[in-house]
Amino acid sequence: VNVAFDAVEEAQDLPVELTLGDVNGLRGYPTRQLVGTRRLLGNLEHRVDTTIEVLTLRVGAVAFFDAGWVGRGSELGLPYTAAGCGLRIGSSRLLGRNVLRIDVAKPLQDVDGEDLGWQLSVSIGQVFTFGGGTAERPAR
């Protein structure tokens, strides 16, 4: 479980925006789809060690539910949610302390009337660690 809140303010009339989307922890939505000066993100994951090992690769699986709010000022607006599943592939020889993350997520809300459908994302690193926040998880 992960919960994170961010807020920024600019006193010199410069545009400041926080984004919420795939790379920022709300899987299923494009990276810069949602922007604002405040964001709240919650992730719930169930990680499973599949015990599958191929050469130097170790494979795990994950099911997840993400929820995020983004807004300006004191308003956070309505939640955006997504659910999905994925694979985690670790190899200390090939990836060092990183994990290859392959996720498929379905956004549960339309954005600006656009049905996004299922989204595939492939990246290195974790959405969050058990200590909270976005970080890398060591591969075994």
Side-chain angles (χ1 to χ4, degrees):
V1 173
N2 175 56
V3 176
F5 175 76
D6 296 306
V8 294
E9 297 204 22
E10 175 57 54
Q12 298 179 359
D13 296 327
L14 298 172
V16 176
E17 294 185 330
L18 297 171
T19 61
L20 192 58
D22 182 60
V23 173
N24 309 97
L26 185 61
R27 293 164 281 196
Y29 294 89
T31 300
R32 297 186 180 274
Q33 182 77 46
L34 307 167
V35 296
T37 58
R38 304 234 187 292
R39 70 179 171 198
L40 176 62
L41 174 67
N43 310 97
L44 177 64
E45 284 190 356
H46 180 66
R47 297 177 181 172
V48 178
D49 182 358
T50 65
T51 67
I52 297 172
E53 292 188 40
V54 179
L55 300 174
T56 66
L57 304 175
R58 186 172 179 141
V59 180
V62 63
F64 59 84
F65 176 81
D66 296 337
W69 293 258
V70 65
R72 297 193 180 279
S74 62
E75 299 296 318
L76 279 176
L78 298 173
Y80 293 93
T81 57
C85 60
L87 295 175
R88 301 295 180 265
I89 300 171
S91 170
S92 58
R93 178 175 284 168
L94 297 175
L95 299 169
R97 297 181 53 116
N98 293 308
V99 174
L100 176 63
R101 186 169 56 91
I102 303 169
D103 290 328
V104 178
K106 171 72 170 121
L108 302 178
Q109 282 76 34
D110 296 342
V111 178
D112 298 329
E114 180 182 348
D115 180 11
L116 298 172
W118 288 91
Q119 304 289 313
L120 172 69
S121 67
V122 179
S123 61
I124 293 182
Q126 292 287 11
V127 172
F128 67 94
T129 64
F130 290 112
T134 303
E136 298 172 356
R137 179 177 168 233
R140 292 196 267 168

